[in-house]
Amino acid sequence: MTIQIGDRVQVHLDAKFKEHEGWYEGTVFKIEPYSEHRCFYWVRLSAEEQAVLGMVQISVFNPKNIQKLEAPN
């Protein structure tokens, strides 16, 4: 799975987000390399997700916490 800037994704927030644990949609707007094999993916959350979470963007480091969404037909 290759994720690029502009891709629609889902990000998983774990138990430290308490009642907001779960999957949220957004768009990748920046990718910061960390090492040869890992990156920080910066995701701008959708307007609906921003309203629920009270944040506009989030960075995701663990690849198991980000999934690329299929493009609509």
Side-chain angles (χ1 to χ4, degrees):
M1 166 188 72
T2 302
I3 295 176
Q4 300 175 352
I5 293 173
D7 285 347
R8 297 278 306 150
V9 296
Q10 285 187 318
V11 297
H12 183 259
L13 303 183
D14 62 18
K16 71 181 172 192
F17 288 89
K18 301 186 184 196
E19 70 272 2
H20 296 300
E21 180 179 7
W23 289 94
Y24 295 90
E25 292 186 17
T27 303
V28 176
F29 71 92
K30 182 174 164 183
I31 300 173
E32 287 183 34
Y34 176 77
S35 70
E36 184 178 343
H37 304 288
R38 303 278 295 264
C39 294
F40 284 100
Y41 295 96
W42 286 90
V43 177
R44 182 166 289 111
L45 299 165
S46 69
E48 298 83 18
E49 313 293 30
Q50 289 177 26
V52 170
L53 297 171
M55 65 177 94
V56 175
Q57 62 192 32
I58 191 165
S59 67
V60 180
F61 181 67
N62 190 331
K64 73 178 186 176
N65 290 332
I66 188 166
Q67 297 178 350
K68 186 173 176 179
L69 293 173
E70 296 289 323
N73 294 333

